[in-house]
Amino acid sequence: MLDADFFRRWMTVTAASVDREADRLTALDSPIGDADHGSNLQRGFTAVRAALEKEPPVTPGAVLVQSGRLLVSTVGGASGPLYGTLLRRTGKALGEATEVDERQLAEALRAGVDAVMQLGGAAAGDKTMIDALLPAVDALGDSFAAARSAAEEGAVATTPLRARKGRASYLGERSIGHQDPGATSAALLIAALADAASGAGAGDE
C-alpha cells in the first residue's frame, strides 16, 4: 500500500530530478518555446519540496492537491496550470484515504491526465506532455517500471511530430525534429514515481 510518505517521496524525488535536468529541459524548450521550461519547473518543485518538508500532509491525496496548488501559483507559462491540474485532479480522485494501492493510483492518475487533456485540448500525437503521460498511465497497470519506460519512449517519439498545441504549434513544420520539453518533463515525473516505488532516489531528498 502507498501512504502519504510515499507520495511525498515521489514529489521530492521529482524535485531533485528537475534540479538535475533543468538545463536540458530549457535547452529542449529553446528552439520551440520560451526557453524557460526547466527554470519554471525548478522554481515550482523547489516550492513543493519546501512546503512538504515544512508541514507534511497526512494523506496521499492531500500531498498531490497541495503540490498541484503550489505549481499553479509558482510556475510560469502553461506548465503551471497543466501540471497543477494533473496533480490536483489525481489527488482529488484519491480522496481522503490514508493509503491507496497501485490500481487506485493508476485510476486516479488517469483522471488527472484526462483533466489535463480537457484543459489543454491536447490528444495523443499533438507533441505535448500527453504523449508521455497517456502511455505511462496505460502501462501503470503492469508496473511502475513499465510506466517509466512507456513515458520515456513517448517523450522520445515526439521528436518527429509536428506540434499541434502550445507555443510550438506556431512554428508549424519547424517544430519537427525537436523532442517536446513538456513530454520530457512528464517522463521525469513518471520516472520519479518509479524511483520512489523502488527506493531509488531516496538520497536526493
Side-chain angles (χ1 to χ4, degrees):
M1 296 293 285
L2 311 172
D3 60 9
D5 285 344
F6 172 85
F7 283 83
R8 184 182 66 83
R9 188 163 67 250
W10 178 19
M11 292 297 100
T12 55
V13 173
T14 299
S17 181
V18 169
D19 277 344
R20 287 194 303 269
E21 300 291 336
D23 288 346
R24 181 168 76 98
L25 292 174
T26 293
L28 289 173
D29 195 36
S30 183
I32 59 174
D34 293 323
D36 59 2
H37 188 61
S39 56
N40 280 343
L41 279 187
Q42 190 173 30
R43 180 171 62 251
F45 276 101
T46 295
V48 166
R49 177 166 49 193
L52 293 177
E53 289 173 354
K54 183 177 181 181
E55 194 170 340
V58 297
T59 66
V63 172
L64 296 186
V65 170
Q66 177 178 304
S67 298
R69 189 179 298 123
L70 278 166
L71 291 178
V72 170
S73 64
T74 58
V75 177
S79 297
L82 291 171
Y83 273 106
T85 294
L86 175 66
L87 296 182
R88 287 170 68 184
R89 185 65 187 85
T90 300
K92 288 178 180 177
L94 292 175
E96 300 299 321
T98 56
E99 292 184 327
V100 299
D101 60 27
E102 293 177 23
R103 179 188 57 81
Q104 290 170 309
L105 172 56
E107 291 175 354
L109 190 58
R110 185 174 295 278
V113 173
D114 287 344
V116 171
M117 293 173 70
Q118 186 173 11
L119 175 64
D126 284 346
K127 200 182 181 90
T128 71
M129 63 194 295
I130 296 302
D131 291 309
L133 291 174
L134 270 182
V137 169
D138 289 340
L140 192 54
D142 296 326
S143 70
F144 288 114
R148 175 184 193 145
S149 295
E152 291 172 350
E153 290 167 9
V156 172
T158 62
T159 303
L161 300 178
R162 175 176 174 169
R164 298 194 188 100
K165 293 292 178 181
R167 195 179 190 287
S169 65
Y170 302 145
L171 298 176
E173 297 290 334
R174 286 180 295 155
S175 65
I176 295 173
H178 300 283
Q179 184 170 321
D180 183 65
T184 305
S185 60
L188 291 179
L189 179 72
I190 301 300
L193 175 62
D195 283 344
S198 69
D204 295 325
E205 296 182 47

